[in-house]
Amino acid sequence: AANRKPFFESVREGYGFVLFDPNARIVLIMSLISPMFIIPLHGALLPIFAKQVFHADAAGLGILVGSIGFGGLFGGLLTASLNRVDRRGMLQLISLLIFSISETVFSVLAWWTGDLWISLPFLVIAGVAESLYTTTNTTVLQLLAPEHLRGSMASVLQLAMLVMPVGGMVAGASADVFGAPAVGATMTFMAFSIGLTILVLSRRMREMRLSHLTQEPVRAAH
């Protein structure tokens, strides 16, 4: 049985690990890109797209939201089929790039055509990539952590829930001024740009491999 530690000591130890371990730190940064720049399109902007861009009713909004979930279903199956892929850092990066650029294309096509059915496939693709990106990111962070910090890592991952409302507030307020398509395209392209920057500049992320995560001992944070 694990030795129980005081609550704040456990929190300090978990966050200390992700801040001081360079692998965990870059994976945590990756986990915050989506809730800050992409997920706000789903929560804050899709109702505006449905009503003002596609001139649809509640059923139209349901189709938009459902298409992301439909893609996520296939993304989950795809993630399971890729369980032997060793390069988990590249898998995260490629998934994030596809996820973000699909949302950008959706926003641009929605503005350009005003046609729900032309724009919709890109939300399905985004749903597939989101599922792959999120599952891989969570798995890698848990594998990076020492055994006694696995519960703390689950807590650290909840930072996304704190970031998401900030992104939603910015997206919603900006949409009143610039319109939902412009804001959606801008925010999701920012996510794409950040992901591309990490891909180019972070050798650590590019070379992160499953075999290293499961075989090399992980150093505890000081």
Side-chain angles (χ1 to χ4, degrees):
N3 295 325
R4 292 186 177 276
K5 296 182 179 180
F7 172 77
F8 288 106
E9 182 181 346
S10 179
V11 170
R12 180 193 62 78
E13 189 176 20
Y15 280 89
F17 171 76
V18 296
L19 292 177
F20 288 101
D21 184 275
N23 288 327
R25 187 166 59 240
I26 189 66
V27 173
L28 178 65
I29 291 171
M30 286 285 294
S31 75
L32 299 178
I33 297 172
S34 171
M36 185 67 190
F37 297 102
I38 307 177
I39 299 300
L41 186 148
H42 299 171
L45 300 184
L46 276 189
I48 304 175
F49 273 93
K51 184 175 182 180
Q52 297 183 2
V53 179
F54 299 125
H55 306 290
D57 54 13
L61 176 59
I63 292 171
L64 289 170
V65 176
S67 65
I68 301 170
F70 182 71
L73 173 64
F74 284 95
L77 296 173
L78 179 61
T79 303
S81 69
L82 296 177
N83 64 336
R84 297 194 180 190
V85 173
D86 195 35
R87 303 190 67 179
R88 291 304 172 98
M90 283 297 296
L91 186 59
Q92 284 183 74
L93 286 166
I94 293 171
S95 300
L96 174 62
L97 293 178
I98 295 173
F99 179 25
S100 53
I101 202 65
S102 296
E103 300 272 12
T104 304
V105 174
F106 163 79
S107 300
V108 172
L109 281 178
W111 170 76
W112 186 262
T113 68
D115 191 308
L116 186 150
W117 298 106
I118 292 176
S119 309
L120 200 65
F122 291 94
L123 281 187
V124 177
I125 296 170
V128 174
E130 179 188 11
S131 180
L132 185 58
Y133 153 79
T134 304
T135 305
T136 305
N137 179 269
T138 303
T139 302
V140 168
L141 189 58
Q142 287 284 11
L143 289 173
L144 282 168
E147 185 70 30
H148 69 284
L149 290 181
R150 296 283 163 80
S152 296
M153 290 306 99
S155 173
V156 169
L157 286 166
Q158 296 306 307
L159 279 174
M161 303 301 294
L162 299 178
V163 171
M164 201 180 305
V166 177
M169 181 178 66
V170 172
S174 301
D176 282 342
V177 180
F178 303 105
V183 175
T186 300
M187 292 185 69
T188 53
F189 190 74
M190 287 174 65
F192 177 83
S193 301
I194 295 170
L196 189 61
T197 301
I198 295 174
L199 174 64
V200 173
L201 298 182
S202 178
R203 181 179 177 183
R204 182 181 302 277
M205 193 67 196
R206 292 195 307 270
E207 297 186 356
M208 192 173 292
R209 296 176 181 270
L210 182 62
S211 55
H212 296 167
L213 300 177
T214 55
Q215 293 177 14
E216 292 183 355
V218 181
R219 297 187 301 274
H222 295 292

PDB file of all heavy atoms in Angstrom, residues 90-116:
ATOM      1  N   MET A  90       5.814  12.436 -32.040  1.00  0.00           N
ATOM      2  CA  MET A  90       5.409  12.800 -33.391  1.00  0.00           C
ATOM      3  C   MET A  90       3.925  12.527 -33.601  1.00  0.00           C
ATOM      4  O   MET A  90       3.243  13.285 -34.303  1.00  0.00           O
ATOM      5  CB  MET A  90       6.230  12.009 -34.408  1.00  0.00           C
ATOM      6  CG  MET A  90       7.637  12.523 -34.591  1.00  0.00           C
ATOM      7  SD  MET A  90       7.698  14.217 -35.236  1.00  0.00           S
ATOM      8  CE  MET A  90       6.954  14.013 -36.849  1.00  0.00           C
ATOM      9  N   LEU A  91       3.409  11.478 -32.998  1.00  0.00           N
ATOM     10  CA  LEU A  91       1.990  11.166 -33.125  1.00  0.00           C
ATOM     11  C   LEU A  91       1.133  12.287 -32.545  1.00  0.00           C
ATOM     12  O   LEU A  91       0.130  12.695 -33.139  1.00  0.00           O
ATOM     13  CB  LEU A  91       1.686   9.844 -32.420  1.00  0.00           C
ATOM     14  CG  LEU A  91       0.264   9.276 -32.578  1.00  0.00           C
ATOM     15  CD1 LEU A  91      -0.063   9.034 -34.034  1.00  0.00           C
ATOM     16  CD2 LEU A  91       0.125   7.990 -31.772  1.00  0.00           C
ATOM     17  N   GLN A  92       1.548  12.800 -31.389  1.00  0.00           N
ATOM     18  CA  GLN A  92       0.830  13.930 -30.788  1.00  0.00           C
ATOM     19  C   GLN A  92       0.893  15.155 -31.686  1.00  0.00           C
ATOM     20  O   GLN A  92      -0.121  15.842 -31.905  1.00  0.00           O
ATOM     21  CB  GLN A  92       1.445  14.295 -29.436  1.00  0.00           C
ATOM     22  CG  GLN A  92       1.102  13.377 -28.298  1.00  0.00           C
ATOM     23  CD  GLN A  92       1.708  13.888 -27.015  1.00  0.00           C
ATOM     24  OE1 GLN A  92       1.239  14.870 -26.447  1.00  0.00           O
ATOM     25  NE2 GLN A  92       2.756  13.238 -26.549  1.00  0.00           N
ATOM     26  N   LEU A  93       2.074  15.464 -32.182  1.00  0.00           N
ATOM     27  CA  LEU A  93       2.256  16.663 -32.994  1.00  0.00           C
ATOM     28  C   LEU A  93       1.449  16.601 -34.282  1.00  0.00           C
ATOM     29  O   LEU A  93       0.759  17.562 -34.640  1.00  0.00           O
ATOM     30  CB  LEU A  93       3.742  16.849 -33.309  1.00  0.00           C
ATOM     31  CG  LEU A  93       4.620  17.331 -32.153  1.00  0.00           C
ATOM     32  CD1 LEU A  93       6.089  17.154 -32.478  1.00  0.00           C
ATOM     33  CD2 LEU A  93       4.312  18.790 -31.829  1.00  0.00           C
ATOM     34  N   ILE A  94       1.519  15.469 -34.978  1.00  0.00           N
ATOM     35  CA  ILE A  94       0.780  15.334 -36.233  1.00  0.00           C
ATOM     36  C   ILE A  94      -0.722  15.403 -35.981  1.00  0.00           C
ATOM     37  O   ILE A  94      -1.472  16.053 -36.729  1.00  0.00           O
ATOM     38  CB  ILE A  94       1.167  14.023 -36.939  1.00  0.00           C
ATOM     39  CG1 ILE A  94       2.624  14.089 -37.409  1.00  0.00           C
ATOM     40  CG2 ILE A  94       0.238  13.751 -38.125  1.00  0.00           C
ATOM     41  CD1 ILE A  94       3.162  12.782 -37.930  1.00  0.00           C
ATOM     42  N   SER A  95      -1.180  14.766 -34.911  1.00  0.00           N
ATOM     43  CA  SER A  95      -2.611  14.806 -34.569  1.00  0.00           C
ATOM     44  C   SER A  95      -3.057  16.237 -34.280  1.00  0.00           C
ATOM     45  O   SER A  95      -4.130  16.666 -34.728  1.00  0.00           O
ATOM     46  CB  SER A  95      -2.884  13.921 -33.354  1.00  0.00           C
ATOM     47  OG  SER A  95      -2.528  12.591 -33.600  1.00  0.00           O
ATOM     48  N   LEU A  96      -2.236  16.982 -33.527  1.00  0.00           N
ATOM     49  CA  LEU A  96      -2.582  18.367 -33.212  1.00  0.00           C
ATOM     50  C   LEU A  96      -2.634  19.214 -34.480  1.00  0.00           C
ATOM     51  O   LEU A  96      -3.548  20.044 -34.637  1.00  0.00           O
ATOM     52  CB  LEU A  96      -1.559  18.950 -32.226  1.00  0.00           C
ATOM     53  CG  LEU A  96      -1.714  20.439 -31.908  1.00  0.00           C
ATOM     54  CD1 LEU A  96      -3.059  20.717 -31.247  1.00  0.00           C
ATOM     55  CD2 LEU A  96      -0.571  20.925 -31.024  1.00  0.00           C
ATOM     56  N   LEU A  97      -1.692  19.028 -35.375  1.00  0.00           N
ATOM     57  CA  LEU A  97      -1.673  19.815 -36.604  1.00  0.00           C
ATOM     58  C   LEU A  97      -2.900  19.521 -37.465  1.00  0.00           C
ATOM     59  O   LEU A  97      -3.530  20.446 -38.008  1.00  0.00           O
ATOM     60  CB  LEU A  97      -0.392  19.524 -37.386  1.00  0.00           C
ATOM     61  CG  LEU A  97       0.910  19.988 -36.733  1.00  0.00           C
ATOM     62  CD1 LEU A  97       2.110  19.584 -37.588  1.00  0.00           C
ATOM     63  CD2 LEU A  97       0.913  21.489 -36.494  1.00  0.00           C
ATOM     64  N   ILE A  98      -3.271  18.247 -37.582  1.00  0.00           N
ATOM     65  CA  ILE A  98      -4.462  17.892 -38.366  1.00  0.00           C
ATOM     66  C   ILE A  98      -5.720  18.423 -37.688  1.00  0.00           C
ATOM     67  O   ILE A  98      -6.625  18.965 -38.347  1.00  0.00           O
ATOM     68  CB  ILE A  98      -4.541  16.368 -38.548  1.00  0.00           C
ATOM     69  CG1 ILE A  98      -3.371  15.864 -39.394  1.00  0.00           C
ATOM     70  CG2 ILE A  98      -5.873  15.967 -39.203  1.00  0.00           C
ATOM     71  CD1 ILE A  98      -3.286  14.354 -39.486  1.00  0.00           C
ATOM     72  N   PHE A  99      -5.791  18.279 -36.374  1.00  0.00           N
ATOM     73  CA  PHE A  99      -6.932  18.756 -35.594  1.00  0.00           C
ATOM     74  C   PHE A  99      -7.144  20.251 -35.806  1.00  0.00           C
ATOM     75  O   PHE A  99      -8.250  20.713 -36.140  1.00  0.00           O
ATOM     76  CB  PHE A  99      -6.665  18.426 -34.121  1.00  0.00           C
ATOM     77  CG  PHE A  99      -7.715  18.865 -33.149  1.00  0.00           C
ATOM     78  CD1 PHE A  99      -9.033  19.052 -33.526  1.00  0.00           C
ATOM     79  CD2 PHE A  99      -7.375  19.074 -31.812  1.00  0.00           C
ATOM     80  CE1 PHE A  99     -10.005  19.452 -32.608  1.00  0.00           C
ATOM     81  CE2 PHE A  99      -8.331  19.465 -30.886  1.00  0.00           C
ATOM     82  CZ  PHE A  99      -9.637  19.659 -31.284  1.00  0.00           C
ATOM     83  N   SER A 100      -6.086  21.017 -35.641  1.00  0.00           N
ATOM     84  CA  SER A 100      -6.210  22.477 -35.694  1.00  0.00           C
ATOM     85  C   SER A 100      -6.471  22.981 -37.113  1.00  0.00           C
ATOM     86  O   SER A 100      -7.339  23.839 -37.326  1.00  0.00           O
ATOM     87  CB  SER A 100      -4.951  23.135 -35.118  1.00  0.00           C
ATOM     88  OG  SER A 100      -3.782  22.648 -35.746  1.00  0.00           O
ATOM     89  N   ILE A 101      -5.748  22.444 -38.112  1.00  0.00           N
ATOM     90  CA  ILE A 101      -5.944  22.950 -39.473  1.00  0.00           C
ATOM     91  C   ILE A 101      -7.298  22.535 -40.037  1.00  0.00           C
ATOM     92  O   ILE A 101      -7.888  23.259 -40.855  1.00  0.00           O
ATOM     93  CB  ILE A 101      -4.783  22.502 -40.395  1.00  0.00           C
ATOM     94  CG1 ILE A 101      -4.684  23.436 -41.603  1.00  0.00           C
ATOM     95  CG2 ILE A 101      -4.964  21.067 -40.851  1.00  0.00           C
ATOM     96  CD1 ILE A 101      -4.305  24.849 -41.267  1.00  0.00           C
ATOM     97  N   SER A 102      -7.835  21.394 -39.594  1.00  0.00           N
ATOM     98  CA  SER A 102      -9.180  20.992 -40.022  1.00  0.00           C
ATOM     99  C   SER A 102     -10.222  21.982 -39.526  1.00  0.00           C
ATOM    100  O   SER A 102     -11.161  22.334 -40.252  1.00  0.00           O
ATOM    101  CB  SER A 102      -9.500  19.586 -39.505  1.00  0.00           C
ATOM    102  OG  SER A 102      -8.637  18.626 -40.052  1.00  0.00           O
ATOM    103  N   GLU A 103     -10.050  22.434 -38.288  1.00  0.00           N
ATOM    104  CA  GLU A 103     -10.976  23.433 -37.734  1.00  0.00           C
ATOM    105  C   GLU A 103     -10.826  24.774 -38.459  1.00  0.00           C
ATOM    106  O   GLU A 103     -11.808  25.493 -38.662  1.00  0.00           O
ATOM    107  CB  GLU A 103     -10.707  23.617 -36.236  1.00  0.00           C
ATOM    108  CG  GLU A 103     -10.868  22.353 -35.410  1.00  0.00           C
ATOM    109  CD  GLU A 103     -12.279  22.141 -34.923  1.00  0.00           C
ATOM    110  OE1 GLU A 103     -13.182  22.842 -35.405  1.00  0.00           O
ATOM    111  OE2 GLU A 103     -12.473  21.290 -34.042  1.00  0.00           O
ATOM    112  N   THR A 104      -9.597  25.109 -38.838  1.00  0.00           N
ATOM    113  CA  THR A 104      -9.378  26.348 -39.588  1.00  0.00           C
ATOM    114  C   THR A 104     -10.086  26.286 -40.940  1.00  0.00           C
ATOM    115  O   THR A 104     -10.771  27.234 -41.345  1.00  0.00           O
ATOM    116  CB  THR A 104      -7.873  26.587 -39.796  1.00  0.00           C
ATOM    117  OG1 THR A 104      -7.201  26.608 -38.535  1.00  0.00           O
ATOM    118  CG2 THR A 104      -7.631  27.905 -40.505  1.00  0.00           C
ATOM    119  N   VAL A 105      -9.908  25.176 -41.641  1.00  0.00           N
ATOM    120  CA  VAL A 105     -10.556  25.012 -42.949  1.00  0.00           C
ATOM    121  C   VAL A 105     -12.078  25.034 -42.795  1.00  0.00           C
ATOM    122  O   VAL A 105     -12.790  25.634 -43.619  1.00  0.00           O
ATOM    123  CB  VAL A 105     -10.093  23.707 -43.616  1.00  0.00           C
ATOM    124  CG1 VAL A 105     -10.872  23.450 -44.910  1.00  0.00           C
ATOM    125  CG2 VAL A 105      -8.600  23.755 -43.914  1.00  0.00           C
ATOM    126  N   PHE A 106     -12.590  24.392 -41.733  1.00  0.00           N
ATOM    127  CA  PHE A 106     -14.032  24.432 -41.473  1.00  0.00           C
ATOM    128  C   PHE A 106     -14.513  25.874 -41.351  1.00  0.00           C
ATOM    129  O   PHE A 106     -15.534  26.257 -41.958  1.00  0.00           O
ATOM    130  CB  PHE A 106     -14.363  23.665 -40.192  1.00  0.00           C
ATOM    131  CG  PHE A 106     -15.721  23.983 -39.625  1.00  0.00           C
ATOM    132  CD1 PHE A 106     -16.857  23.409 -40.161  1.00  0.00           C
ATOM    133  CD2 PHE A 106     -15.857  24.882 -38.568  1.00  0.00           C
ATOM    134  CE1 PHE A 106     -18.120  23.724 -39.664  1.00  0.00           C
ATOM    135  CE2 PHE A 106     -17.104  25.192 -38.054  1.00  0.00           C
ATOM    136  CZ  PHE A 106     -18.243  24.618 -38.604  1.00  0.00           C
ATOM    137  N   SER A 107     -13.809  26.682 -40.573  1.00  0.00           N
ATOM    138  CA  SER A 107     -14.218  28.075 -40.356  1.00  0.00           C
ATOM    139  C   SER A 107     -14.184  28.881 -41.647  1.00  0.00           C
ATOM    140  O   SER A 107     -15.095  29.665 -41.927  1.00  0.00           O
ATOM    141  CB  SER A 107     -13.303  28.729 -39.309  1.00  0.00           C
ATOM    142  OG  SER A 107     -13.373  28.057 -38.077  1.00  0.00           O
ATOM    143  N   VAL A 108     -13.134  28.681 -42.445  1.00  0.00           N
ATOM    144  CA  VAL A 108     -13.002  29.418 -43.702  1.00  0.00           C
ATOM    145  C   VAL A 108     -14.089  29.005 -44.696  1.00  0.00           C
ATOM    146  O   VAL A 108     -14.725  29.857 -45.334  1.00  0.00           O
ATOM    147  CB  VAL A 108     -11.597  29.204 -44.304  1.00  0.00           C
ATOM    148  CG1 VAL A 108     -11.519  29.813 -45.706  1.00  0.00           C
ATOM    149  CG2 VAL A 108     -10.529  29.811 -43.393  1.00  0.00           C
ATOM    150  N   LEU A 109     -14.312  27.699 -44.829  1.00  0.00           N
ATOM    151  CA  LEU A 109     -15.346  27.226 -45.749  1.00  0.00           C
ATOM    152  C   LEU A 109     -16.738  27.672 -45.315  1.00  0.00           C
ATOM    153  O   LEU A 109     -17.589  27.999 -46.158  1.00  0.00           O
ATOM    154  CB  LEU A 109     -15.301  25.702 -45.844  1.00  0.00           C
ATOM    155  CG  LEU A 109     -14.221  25.094 -46.740  1.00  0.00           C
ATOM    156  CD1 LEU A 109     -14.286  23.572 -46.675  1.00  0.00           C
ATOM    157  CD2 LEU A 109     -14.373  25.566 -48.175  1.00  0.00           C
ATOM    158  N   ALA A 110     -16.969  27.677 -44.001  1.00  0.00           N
ATOM    159  CA  ALA A 110     -18.270  28.132 -43.502  1.00  0.00           C
ATOM    160  C   ALA A 110     -18.519  29.577 -43.896  1.00  0.00           C
ATOM    161  O   ALA A 110     -19.618  29.943 -44.341  1.00  0.00           O
ATOM    162  CB  ALA A 110     -18.319  27.966 -41.986  1.00  0.00           C
ATOM    163  N   TRP A 111     -17.492  30.400 -43.742  1.00  0.00           N
ATOM    164  CA  TRP A 111     -17.627  31.813 -44.118  1.00  0.00           C
ATOM    165  C   TRP A 111     -17.751  31.976 -45.633  1.00  0.00           C
ATOM    166  O   TRP A 111     -18.545  32.778 -46.124  1.00  0.00           O
ATOM    167  CB  TRP A 111     -16.402  32.577 -43.616  1.00  0.00           C
ATOM    168  CG  TRP A 111     -16.319  33.973 -44.144  1.00  0.00           C
ATOM    169  CD1 TRP A 111     -17.040  35.061 -43.751  1.00  0.00           C
ATOM    170  CD2 TRP A 111     -15.474  34.426 -45.207  1.00  0.00           C
ATOM    171  NE1 TRP A 111     -16.697  36.160 -44.499  1.00  0.00           N
ATOM    172  CE2 TRP A 111     -15.740  35.796 -45.397  1.00  0.00           C
ATOM    173  CE3 TRP A 111     -14.523  33.800 -46.015  1.00  0.00           C
ATOM    174  CZ2 TRP A 111     -15.084  36.559 -46.357  1.00  0.00           C
ATOM    175  CZ3 TRP A 111     -13.859  34.553 -46.973  1.00  0.00           C
ATOM    176  CH2 TRP A 111     -14.144  35.907 -47.137  1.00  0.00           C
ATOM    177  N   TRP A 112     -16.969  31.197 -46.378  1.00  0.00           N
ATOM    178  CA  TRP A 112     -16.912  31.350 -47.829  1.00  0.00           C
ATOM    179  C   TRP A 112     -18.172  30.841 -48.517  1.00  0.00           C
ATOM    180  O   TRP A 112     -18.663  31.466 -49.468  1.00  0.00           O
ATOM    181  CB  TRP A 112     -15.685  30.604 -48.362  1.00  0.00           C
ATOM    182  CG  TRP A 112     -15.432  30.791 -49.826  1.00  0.00           C
ATOM    183  CD1 TRP A 112     -15.789  29.956 -50.836  1.00  0.00           C
ATOM    184  CD2 TRP A 112     -14.763  31.890 -50.444  1.00  0.00           C
ATOM    185  NE1 TRP A 112     -15.378  30.449 -52.053  1.00  0.00           N
ATOM    186  CE2 TRP A 112     -14.749  31.651 -51.835  1.00  0.00           C
ATOM    187  CE3 TRP A 112     -14.179  33.059 -49.951  1.00  0.00           C
ATOM    188  CZ2 TRP A 112     -14.168  32.535 -52.728  1.00  0.00           C
ATOM    189  CZ3 TRP A 112     -13.592  33.939 -50.850  1.00  0.00           C
ATOM    190  CH2 TRP A 112     -13.600  33.677 -52.215  1.00  0.00           C
ATOM    191  N   THR A 113     -18.688  29.699 -48.055  1.00  0.00           N
ATOM    192  CA  THR A 113     -19.812  29.065 -48.755  1.00  0.00           C
ATOM    193  C   THR A 113     -21.140  29.200 -48.015  1.00  0.00           C
ATOM    194  O   THR A 113     -22.196  29.199 -48.656  1.00  0.00           O
ATOM    195  CB  THR A 113     -19.536  27.564 -48.971  1.00  0.00           C
ATOM    196  OG1 THR A 113     -19.540  26.889 -47.703  1.00  0.00           O
ATOM    197  CG2 THR A 113     -18.189  27.343 -49.646  1.00  0.00           C
ATOM    198  N   GLY A 114     -21.093  29.264 -46.696  1.00  0.00           N
ATOM    199  CA  GLY A 114     -22.324  29.269 -45.920  1.00  0.00           C
ATOM    200  C   GLY A 114     -23.082  27.959 -45.994  1.00  0.00           C
ATOM    201  O   GLY A 114     -24.255  27.885 -45.612  1.00  0.00           O
ATOM    202  N   ASP A 115     -22.404  26.909 -46.462  1.00  0.00           N
ATOM    203  CA  ASP A 115     -23.035  25.601 -46.657  1.00  0.00           C
ATOM    204  C   ASP A 115     -22.566  24.642 -45.566  1.00  0.00           C
ATOM    205  O   ASP A 115     -21.374  24.326 -45.477  1.00  0.00           O
ATOM    206  CB  ASP A 115     -22.671  25.043 -48.037  1.00  0.00           C
ATOM    207  CG  ASP A 115     -23.502  23.822 -48.408  1.00  0.00           C
ATOM    208  OD1 ASP A 115     -23.565  22.874 -47.607  1.00  0.00           O
ATOM    209  OD2 ASP A 115     -24.090  23.822 -49.517  1.00  0.00           O
ATOM    210  N   LEU A 116     -23.492  24.168 -44.753  1.00  0.00           N
ATOM    211  CA  LEU A 116     -23.165  23.278 -43.647  1.00  0.00           C
ATOM    212  C   LEU A 116     -22.549  21.982 -44.136  1.00  0.00           C
ATOM    213  O   LEU A 116     -21.569  21.497 -43.567  1.00  0.00           O
ATOM    214  CB  LEU A 116     -24.426  23.006 -42.827  1.00  0.00           C
ATOM    215  CG  LEU A 116     -24.281  22.196 -41.534  1.00  0.00           C
ATOM    216  CD1 LEU A 116     -25.341  22.622 -40.525  1.00  0.00           C
ATOM    217  CD2 LEU A 116     -24.416  20.694 -41.786  1.00  0.00           C
TER     218      LEU A 116
END
